[in-house]
Amino acid sequence: MAARTVTKDIITLRGSAAIVSEFFGYAANSILYNRGVYPEESFVKVKKYGLPMLLTEDEGVKSFIANLTAQLSVKWGLIKLNSILSLCLNYECCKEWLEAGKLQRIVLVIMSKATGEVLERWNFSIETDSEVVEKGVSREKSDKEIMREIQAIMRQIASSITYLPCLDEPCVFDVLAYTDKDLAVPFTWIESDPKLIANPQMVKLHSFDTKIHKVDTLVSYKNDEWDE
């Protein structure tokens, strides 16, 4: 009788960090497209996670997001990217913060271009398995299962027009990182206030878990009530 070969989906700290940082890049692009922060014609369609995804062709935004996903792994505190023009981040930086277990949260903030008022906060909270960071052990989870969980989040972002108010004015975005305090802040980041929204409405989205990093997603938005 022939022996059956059993394969396991092994997830390492480095592999998990790569999955999460790549997710942030695609999620940010999807948010900017679906919330109309940049014009539709500035995006190109690609296939990722078994879904049609949109990626910006704006060189400034591409550089911003590519450098963001590179730098996501450092300090407890609140810092933000300086500006699109002065960025020098890359994919490896983001993975470094995640591999070190120092990154607690990433927030993509959408603001009014005219007034700077915060209109939306896309909050990605990250829980890291400390045993994996400290001891270098691995975990097991199917790549297909992780992809299905990410697909659910991307579908919710794509349908955000159905549950979020229209952004009927020109907007800009910023990115905040909550990190450990013992981490040196890269020159491309500066300390920031949390850019909160007073009395926001909140929508909790799906989460995904690599068994090393768990990412919970929540969007909060400005609640404009009708005058009676």
Side-chain angles (χ1 to χ4, degrees):
M1 182 177 179
R4 185 176 64 178
T5 301
V6 179
T7 61
K8 296 181 179 179
D9 291 293
I10 303 297
I11 303 293
T12 64
L13 178 58
R14 177 168 293 184
S16 177
I19 291 170
V20 175
S21 57
E22 184 178 56
F23 161 79
F24 283 132
Y26 279 94
N29 272 276
S30 185
I31 291 167
L32 296 178
Y33 173 81
N34 286 287
R35 302 307 293 141
V37 178
Y38 288 88
E40 182 177 351
E41 59 270 20
S42 67
F43 290 82
V44 61
K45 186 177 290 187
V46 299
K47 188 171 183 180
K48 183 67 177 177
Y49 308 122
L51 299 171
M53 302 292 296
L54 281 301
L55 293 180
T56 181
E57 291 191 302
D58 182 290
E59 290 301 326
V61 182
K62 282 169 65 176
S63 175
F64 185 99
I65 293 176
N67 288 315
L68 163 67
T69 57
Q71 197 148 11
L72 295 185
S73 353
V74 277
K75 160 179 181 179
W76 181 244
L78 184 59
I79 54 180
K80 71 170 185 177
L81 293 174
N82 274 323
S83 70
I84 292 177
L85 297 178
S86 65
L87 286 180
C88 188
L89 305 180
N90 57 56
Y91 180 67
E92 292 306 316
C93 276
C94 168
K95 292 199 298 182
E96 289 171 9
W97 291 355
L98 288 163
E99 288 177 30
K102 301 292 186 179
L103 185 65
Q104 315 297 325
R105 188 185 313 169
I106 284 290
V107 182
L108 189 151
V109 181
I110 298 176
M111 302 166 289
S112 164
K113 185 175 182 179
T115 67
E117 180 182 19
V118 178
L119 304 176
E120 293 179 6
R121 296 178 89 253
W122 291 80
N123 185 90
F124 300 92
S125 297
I126 305 153
E127 294 179 20
T128 304
D129 186 328
S130 58
E131 183 182 16
V132 174
V133 176
E134 294 167 4
K135 300 181 180 180
V137 297
S138 58
R139 297 290 187 236
E140 293 181 21
K141 186 166 184 176
S142 164
D143 288 342
K144 290 183 178 179
E145 187 177 356
I146 295 172
M147 186 175 75
R148 282 196 297 268
E149 293 174 359
I150 292 176
Q151 281 178 338
I153 299 173
M154 294 304 185
R155 288 192 176 104
Q156 287 182 312
I157 294 174
S159 64
S160 58
I161 192 172
T162 65
Y163 57 83
L164 293 178
C166 290
L167 298 175
D168 54 3
E169 61 179 302
C171 294
V172 294
F173 78 100
D174 210 338
V175 176
L176 308 179
Y178 290 73
T179 63
D180 285 358
K181 290 181 179 177
D182 61 354
L183 196 67
V185 179
F187 75 92
T188 46
W189 295 74
I190 58 175
E191 293 186 4
S192 170
D193 67 88
K195 297 188 179 299
L196 300 175
I197 301 172
N199 302 313
Q201 293 279 36
M202 299 184 184
V203 178
K204 190 178 188 309
L205 307 185
H206 289 295
S207 62
F208 81 93
D209 189 354
T210 67
K211 294 299 185 183
I212 294 176
H213 296 102
K214 181 181 179 184
V215 179
D216 290 312
T217 310
L218 175 77
V219 57
S220 57
Y221 59 93
K222 185 173 179 288
N223 181 25
D224 287 323
E225 297 182 355
W226 292 96
D227 294 331
E228 296 184 0

